[in-house]
Amino acid sequence: MTDYKETLNLPQTDFQMKARLSQKEPEMLKKWEEAGLYDKIKEAGKDRPKYILHDGPPYANGHIHLGHALNKTLKDIVVKSRTMSGFSAEYVPGWDCHGLPIELQVEKKFKEKKKELGKTAVRKACREYANKFVSIQRDEFKRLGIFGEWENPYLTMNYGYQAAILSELGRFVEEGLVYKGKKPVHWCSSCSTALAEAEVEHAEKTSPSVYVRFEAVSIEFSKAIMEDGVKTAAFLGAEDIPISVIIWTTTPWTLPANLAIAVHPDVSYSTVRITLHGHEEIWVLATDLVESTMDKFGIENYSIVNSAPGSLLEGIVCKHPFVARESVVRTANFVTTEAGTGCVHIAPGHGQDDYEVGLKHGLEVYAPVDNNGLFTSDVPEFEGQFVFKANNGIIELLEEKGMLIKTEEVSHSYPHCWRCKKPVIFRATAQWFVAMDDDSRLRERALKAISEEVEWVPGWGKERIYGMIEKRPDWCLSRQRVWGVPIPALICSGCSNAFLDKGLINSLGKRFEESGADIWFERPLEELLPEGLKCPECNGTEFEREEDILDVWFDSGVSFSAVLERRENLSNPADLYLEGSDQHRGWFHSSILASIATRKVPPYKSVLTHGFVVDGKGRKMSKSDGNVIAPEQIIEKYGVEVLRLWVAAEDYRDDIRVSEEILKRLSEAYRRIRNTFRYILGNISDFNPETDSVQFNELEELDRLTLHRLNGITEKVLSAYEKFEFHTIYHTVHNFCTVDLSAFYLDILKDRLYTSGTKGKSRRAAQTTIYYVLDSLVRLLAPVLVFTTEEAWAFLPGKREASVHLAAMPTVNADWVNNELDEKWRGLSAFKDEISKALEGARVEKIIGHPLDAFVSVVPGEADTEKLKEVEALLVSVLIVSGLCVTDGTEAPKETEASFSFVSEEIPGLKVTVTKAPGGKCERCWHYSESVGTQTGHATICDRCVEALA
RNA sequence: GGGCCUGUAGCUCAGUAGGUUAGAGCACACGCUUGAUAAGCGUGGGGUCGAAAGUUCGAAUCUUUCCAGGCCCA
């Protein structure tokens, strides 16, 4: 007896169903490395047009988290897809190495020894620390399958990079953009340093809240008579009663620095006559706040004398509550009536808004507080006291002077130092600044470039960064820190003038290039100075060096110069910057300012942003909430491939969720794709595309339909790569694998592949088709599933490049387009669905099990019987039944058989009857056929199989 | 508190310029198959579109408010 199973062409392949990704991925990486794959990709692209994705440098501190993985994987997908689409897309990764966090880590290690060791030792330790994490992160990134110049990355602490930073600073100086000024900045008195916005965290703090009287000493002000003819004096109801403007503040310690009082010009203010402790006074405050404030003060006996807009109050001269100084009422738009009295105490040296009011009215930027937050001798009463501690004394003093109306405690959001977590103060200090609005109109030019010269993806990125640049203050470049590139300014010993000299910057640049920026701190100053250098103010020749270093945003902001312009394989501007949306204030921001200031053009043509990784509920990940998932966990459990699929599957323009469920779903989707690969590979193991391919026009109908559909998804996927819409790639391909291939084409194809003649045209046509399908799918997915596609690539027959990553994307084949066919099958699949329902009914009734047990009678009803009749044979194979006939319903099915009838609700009049198929079951192809038993020499198989065996 | 953004089935995504009973895949349930088998196939249940109000003959799609969440600021 023949074992007919042996005569079938069943799938055969060593491409494993089980991926074992976490083991195999590192092996693949090693293989790539040994083969020098990245260099080969570079070499292959040397004559192609460039596509430059410029890497934003992550900070060289700590291990990578999912945010890093997301960002770098997205970049890798861009680079790989552009490479496969005919570009040379070299990727040079970088790291941000200077800055406070590393310095603090090192400081922690040194503890008290820091001061003895000096700057050089600290800087050396910082460099080592940064190097250590560059190395750690590099390995972690490589593990993600990211291709790039890992052995030659850019580090902002490299000597060449440091020299570039200095040279860019020189250009800023040359453009006249850099000035030294006094300005209130966030100041941490504990760390003795100015803090960047980014270095400030907001947290709840309890502060004293005080209401203070500022007595008016003169009502002979400049605007005594207003346009409406109302005398301010009249508004004040000037009588022989003391008049006070009432202010509210939660920082009593800034009162010694008070220089003015601000009111909103358009807000209504009232003069309120009150009786307190038996005598009368007139108080001025915002009309809307009178009632609540009086309530708070417990004053019941009051009456509003008069009301007028704040603009009328401008110029009232008040007496400082305890310092012999005047404080004048000014108008400002930032004033609100949400809290307090609508009259705001102004200390230009201690607040941003205050500073701006002061600037407008020519007030001194006065801040009698030293680096450690202690009052200076300017405030004798509190000299040497820490400002927050002095609050109490100041309140007592106010009380004593009879100026305090009310004091209480409030809890509010207050800025804190990100490092020591202590509350910070606003304090005016001498800093180097980049002017946003001077003659060179940096702000204006940057805004113009943002709206006209850069493509922002998603589009709202434009509004976001525009708003930020529009409102940002001058760029404070200096940091009173150690680990960074020095601002090589000189301070004249003769006249104390601080200045930046272009000649010095130039000559230093060369030395930085050779020996690094450390020399500024290490070498004697005389050795560094150009000959004959004189103070531009007093011609003095004795100098001291500036100790401040540059803001690290300046470091990374000039990467277009340090990296794009300086590397032969790159060029400026870049095609794309791709970072998280926080970089609208970070790197995108500093980069465009730096580039506009020095090159007049933006450093990027387009900017793509992604959202943040959040947990399954959409909440941010934090250690304290315990919802953090580390890349490692995912890699160990599922493999990098699933992590990459996650990056590709989610719409990154929004926040990106990750959870165990999401990963589980994705790993299942991965298996589906992998199985599709495997199934096709199994069925083309005996197929040689060069010799066995069937011409397109000789393919069968379903083959051509499938290639038409493949064409469709190819077009869609290529366009999605082009437009950076990666999640549609995943959905498109997954859907194609599941719906068009697995549940339709491949399922139908089994009969042809397994049972027909091994070398017959029908089988070869099927193989030709699925070969095309797999070849395309593997290429299309290579940028995402970097390992799996490479694995499949090696199994694919035919001549091909050594690696899928050296291959090109498939092209859309115009010859394959057949919309008529597509249309036809769209209609037929509706019939297929309905007949499937009938089969399911028959299955429930136990008439059939497998569809091949069935014979189907179709009465089309209102549908076109003739047309359906034509595709009878196709429907048999599509439904995988043993027989099907389309009739007009006049011939009833054989009554002897058990049958199941189904009337369609979807297709009017369609009636389907399912019966057990007649004849015997062919042992070989499992179809039922009347021919079984009639074949000589083959008693148990059908005529079709006999023919196949011939 | 402000700027920008998001909120469609358990999950990931579609839903064109507002117009018939809101789609897909996965997951789930039930069944089939055992020649993709730690696979494959079929059928089925499940959202009224974050909430409310409004504009409109008609809204997931426009407006307002509110709620929840994210980034960046204060």
Side-chain angles (χ1 to χ4, degrees):
Chain A
M1 198 183 121
T2 321
D3 183 358
Y4 290 109
K5 186 169 175 178
E6 290 303 308
T7 69
L8 293 170
N9 309 297
L10 294 179
Q12 255 184 338
T13 178
D14 289 331
F15 185 87
Q16 296 298 304
M17 175 180 287
K18 197 142 193 266
R20 289 174 30 244
L21 290 170
S22 44
Q23 294 153 53
K24 281 200 286 185
E25 284 164 355
E27 293 167 20
M28 185 80 83
L29 286 167
K30 202 174 160 215
K31 219 181 83 187
W32 283 335
E33 183 134 5
E34 283 165 4
L37 180 58
Y38 182 71
D39 287 334
K40 283 182 184 160
I41 293 171
K42 267 169 71 171
E43 175 63 21
K46 67 180 194 299
D47 296 325
R48 301 184 195 160
K50 285 185 192 302
Y51 183 86
I52 294 167
L53 192 178
H54 180 39
D55 189 39
Y59 196 64
N61 184 14
H63 290 261
I64 67 165
H65 56 242
L66 271 184
H68 290 113
L70 168 73
N71 176 259
K72 279 287 199 282
T73 303
L74 285 172
K75 286 171 178 166
D76 192 51
I77 293 173
V78 170
V79 166
K80 287 198 170 89
S81 62
R82 286 299 193 274
T83 299
M84 293 180 73
S85 297
F87 289 93
S88 161
E90 296 191 24
Y91 179 61
V92 178
W95 274 275
D96 201 2
C97 302
H98 296 128
L100 194 56
I102 288 176
E103 189 178 331
L104 292 174
Q105 290 298 323
V106 167
E107 209 174 84
K108 224 193 263 174
K109 226 167 46 188
F110 283 175
K111 299 213 172 107
E112 295 308 306
K113 284 190 289 179
K114 186 195 173 191
K115 285 209 174 96
E116 309 159 25
L117 286 165
K119 285 190 179 178
T120 306
V122 172
R123 288 173 62 89
K124 189 161 171 273
C126 286
R127 182 173 290 275
E128 279 166 19
Y129 183 95
N131 267 325
K132 175 181 152 196
F133 279 102
V134 164
S135 169
I136 286 171
Q137 292 190 359
R138 177 202 281 131
D139 289 346
E140 290 170 339
F141 285 139
K142 283 166 80 173
R143 177 68 184 86
L144 298 176
I146 317 289
F147 290 177
E149 296 221 8
W150 294 112
E151 305 320 310
N152 187 21
Y154 76 85
L155 309 184
T156 59
M157 65 179 181
N158 282 349
Y159 295 168
Y161 199 114
Q162 290 183 328
I165 292 170
L166 194 61
S167 138
E168 290 310 302
L169 178 66
R171 292 193 191 224
F172 270 80
V173 171
E174 214 159 8
E175 295 286 336
L177 285 161
V178 183
Y179 71 93
K180 187 156 196 177
K182 250 191 153 188
K183 219 177 172 184
V185 291
H186 285 293
W187 184 273
C188 178
S189 1
S190 163
C191 305
S192 292
T193 185
L195 298 177
E197 300 289 339
E199 294 166 336
V200 169
E201 293 172 349
H202 289 266
E204 284 298 303
K205 174 182 184 298
T206 305
S207 300
S209 152
V210 296
Y211 291 84
V212 182
R213 288 170 48 217
F214 275 61
E215 265 186 30
V217 292
S218 161
I219 48 172
E220 289 170 28
F221 18 81
S222 54
K223 292 184 183 170
I225 298 174
M226 305 305 297
E227 281 168 25
D228 59 6
V230 179
K231 272 195 162 183
T232 313
F235 156 69
L236 287 167
E239 298 173 47
D240 205 9
I241 303 176
I243 297 167
S244 298
V245 177
I246 311 303
I247 67 97
W248 172 72
T249 181
T250 55
T251 51
W253 65 267
T254 61
L255 284 169
N258 172 283
L259 296 181
I261 296 164
V263 296
H264 195 288
D266 305 327
V267 165
S268 168
Y269 288 82
S270 292
T271 43
V272 185
R273 181 192 293 260
I274 59 120
T275 308
L276 194 62
H277 309 310
H279 65 276
E280 291 194 315
E281 287 190 23
I282 286 177
W283 288 357
V284 177
L285 64 159
T287 309
D288 286 352
L289 293 163
V290 171
E291 201 181 325
S292 59
T293 311
M294 290 304 147
D295 208 37
K296 188 181 273 278
F297 297 165
I299 295 173
E300 287 165 8
N301 194 355
Y302 70 90
S303 61
I304 291 180
V305 179
N306 224 330
S307 297
S311 52
L312 273 181
L313 305 183
E314 178 141 39
I316 296 177
V317 179
C318 294
K319 197 170 79 181
H320 190 283
F322 54 83
V323 180
R325 192 197 300 144
E326 287 178 345
S327 185
V328 184
V329 175
R330 302 295 179 190
T331 58
N333 288 319
F334 79 87
V335 176
T336 70
T337 53
E338 274 168 19
T341 61
C343 306
V344 179
H345 134 67
I346 297 291
H350 291 299
Q352 185 60 37
D353 291 326
D354 308 52
Y355 171 76
E356 277 161 29
V357 173
L359 214 59
K360 207 165 133 194
H361 296 282
L363 302 175
E364 186 192 346
V365 186
Y366 178 55
V369 174
D370 72 9
N371 287 358
N372 298 314
L374 310 179
F375 277 111
T376 65
S377 56
D378 261 23
V379 188
E381 300 96 318
F382 302 104
E383 184 180 354
Q385 284 193 36
F386 182 52
V387 290
F388 290 127
K389 290 221 172 107
N391 272 335
N392 288 334
I394 289 165
I395 293 168
E396 277 167 28
L397 184 61
L398 288 167
E399 177 85 69
E400 205 182 300
K401 302 265 180 187
M403 294 299 172
L404 183 73
I405 299 172
K406 163 106 187 160
T407 176
E408 58 187 356
E409 301 249 290
V410 293
S411 174
H412 59 156
S413 171
Y414 190 85
H416 288 70
C417 174
W418 70 344
R419 180 247 160 177
C420 69
K421 309 294 178 193
K422 290 184 180 147
V424 302
I425 61 175
F426 245 100
R427 169 178 176 260
T429 52
Q431 307 280 347
W432 290 97
F433 290 95
V434 169
M436 297 295 297
D437 301 303
D438 69 354
D439 293 347
S440 57
R441 306 181 340 274
L442 177 56
R443 187 194 312 275
E444 189 187 321
R445 288 188 290 137
L447 290 175
K448 191 162 185 287
I450 284 166
S451 50
E452 293 172 12
E453 293 168 48
V454 180
E455 188 195 2
W456 303 90
V457 187
W460 50 257
K462 183 192 282 192
E463 317 304 320
R464 192 169 151 92
I465 192 168
Y466 193 99
M468 286 171 175
I469 299 265
E470 195 177 27
K471 291 196 193 102
R472 70 154 299 148
D474 283 356
W475 185 357
C476 178
L477 291 180
S478 33
R479 292 296 116 98
Q480 290 67 45
R481 279 281 146 184
V482 174
W483 180 226
V485 174
I487 298 175
L490 297 170
I491 300 151
C492 173
S493 308
C495 69
S496 298
N497 171 43
F499 65 100
L500 282 157
D501 181 73
K502 191 65 184 100
L504 171 61
I505 289 175
N506 284 344
S507 63
L508 267 180
K510 290 190 191 84
R511 302 197 55 170
F512 277 19
E513 192 98 42
E514 289 156 15
S515 338
D518 289 351
I519 57 162
W520 175 253
F521 300 105
E522 286 169 2
R523 310 305 306 170
L525 192 53
E526 312 81 66
E527 192 186 300
L528 302 171
L529 298 182
E531 258 179 66
L533 185 67
K534 284 180 185 164
C535 169
E537 291 289 316
C538 70
N539 285 328
T541 53
E542 295 282 306
F543 307 102
E544 282 174 44
R545 81 187 97 204
E546 171 74 83
E547 299 280 335
D548 285 6
I549 58 166
L550 276 166
D551 176 15
V552 285
W553 286 115
F554 193 89
D555 293 14
S556 56
V558 300
S559 63
F560 64 87
S561 158
V563 182
L564 296 181
E565 287 181 358
R566 291 188 173 214
R567 297 216 180 201
E568 258 180 45
N569 55 342
L570 302 178
S571 66
N572 186 38
D575 289 286
L576 184 69
Y577 277 31
L578 195 178
E579 308 295 332
S581 58
D582 56 336
Q583 297 304 325
H584 284 119
R585 182 164 291 272
W587 191 51
F588 303 147
H589 190 117
S590 59
S591 294
I592 199 166
L593 286 182
S595 185
I596 293 291
T598 60
R599 307 292 193 285
K600 299 190 167 38
V601 289
Y604 36 68
K605 294 175 192 162
S606 46
V607 172
L608 187 60
T609 53
H610 60 254
F612 278 69
V613 180
V614 293
D615 72 9
K617 292 175 190 143
R619 288 170 197 276
K620 74 166 148 200
M621 292 188 163
S622 71
K623 320 108 246 163
S624 53
D625 291 339
N627 58 352
V628 178
I629 298 179
E632 258 183 276
Q633 288 169 257
I634 299 174
I635 294 169
E636 270 173 40
K637 187 164 178 185
Y638 299 104
V640 166
E641 248 4 13
V642 173
L643 179 60
R644 294 183 66 106
L645 196 59
W646 165 72
V647 170
E650 306 253 334
D651 185 349
Y652 63 80
R653 291 167 293 198
D654 204 350
D655 285 332
I656 299 168
R657 296 185 181 212
V658 66
S659 67
E660 196 47 47
E661 180 180 7
I662 291 169
L663 292 167
K664 197 169 160 230
R665 290 292 99 87
L666 282 165
S667 72
E668 281 157 4
Y670 168 80
R671 285 217 311 269
R672 165 67 95 178
I673 293 168
R674 184 177 178 89
N675 256 319
T676 304
F677 285 10
R678 177 176 131 94
Y679 183 70
I680 294 179
L681 286 173
N683 282 297
I684 56 173
S685 56
D686 67 330
F687 177 77
N688 179 347
E690 274 128 58
T691 54
D692 303 328
S693 284
V694 174
Q695 292 284 310
F696 177 76
N697 52 19
E698 290 181 58
L699 294 177
E700 297 185 14
E701 182 165 335
L702 282 178
D703 304 335
R704 284 181 278 118
L705 175 68
T706 299
L707 290 180
H708 166 84
R709 288 178 176 172
L710 174 67
N711 230 7
I713 71 136
T714 300
E715 193 169 14
K716 211 165 162 186
V717 169
L718 291 178
S719 142
Y721 274 125
E722 170 81 30
K723 292 188 284 193
F724 311 116
E725 288 167 2
F726 306 136
H727 65 284
T728 67
I729 294 168
Y730 160 77
H731 281 282
T732 302
V733 172
H734 185 244
N735 226 48
F736 182 66
C737 286
T738 303
V739 180
D740 295 315
L741 294 180
S742 198
F744 184 73
Y745 184 62
L746 295 181
D747 203 31
I748 295 163
L749 221 52
K750 283 173 190 168
D751 184 60
R752 253 166 84 194
L753 286 168
Y754 299 172
T755 70
S756 60
T758 307
K759 294 178 179 174
K761 194 164 194 175
S762 173
R763 182 159 181 275
R764 289 303 192 204
Q767 287 181 313
T768 303
T769 308
I770 58 179
Y771 168 76
Y772 280 137
V773 167
L774 185 58
D775 182 75
S776 292
L777 284 182
V778 165
R779 291 168 194 261
L780 287 173
L781 287 175
V784 177
L785 300 178
V786 291
F787 299 102
T788 307
T789 52
E790 184 77 324
E791 195 185 343
W793 187 255
F795 280 91
L796 271 166
K799 269 191 196 154
R800 48 190 65 244
E801 294 82 354
S803 162
V804 69
H805 302 299
L806 286 163
M809 279 293 170
T811 48
V812 174
N813 193 332
D815 295 342
W816 292 357
V817 177
N818 191 337
N819 291 317
E820 269 170 59
L821 200 60
D822 195 48
E823 208 46 47
K824 172 182 170 185
W825 278 92
R826 216 168 292 189
L828 283 177
S829 72
F831 280 93
K832 178 181 184 267
D833 290 346
E834 292 307 290
I835 297 168
S836 286
K837 284 177 196 166
L839 289 168
E840 180 65 19
R843 194 150 35 228
V844 171
E845 298 288 320
K846 306 282 183 208
I847 296 165
I848 60 162
H850 194 283
L852 280 175
D853 299 342
F855 180 86
V856 182
S857 304
V858 180
V859 181
E862 292 170 26
D864 194 330
T865 308
E866 282 310 303
K867 273 206 169 152
L868 217 52
K869 190 93 191 149
E870 283 171 25
V871 293
E872 225 175 38
L874 270 172
L875 281 174
V876 170
S877 61
V878 164
L879 286 154
I880 321 181
V881 292
S882 281
L884 179 144
C885 77
V886 178
T887 66
D888 57 8
T890 49
E891 262 180 77
K894 293 174 193 166
E895 291 299 332
T896 51
E897 299 282 347
S899 70
F900 176 84
S901 288
F902 169 86
V903 178
S904 172
E905 287 171 16
E906 306 293 323
I907 301 173
L910 174 69
K911 189 178 171 192
V912 183
T913 304
V914 178
T915 57
K916 178 96 177 155
K921 181 178 180 181
C922 170
E923 192 189 313
R924 184 167 178 275
C925 72
W926 293 349
H927 282 66
Y928 281 79
S929 167
E930 312 265 16
S931 69
V932 175
T934 64
Q935 308 295 309
T936 43
H938 299 286
T940 58
I941 63 174
C942 67
D943 50 356
R944 229 171 37 115
C945 283
V946 171
E947 201 178 314
L949 289 176

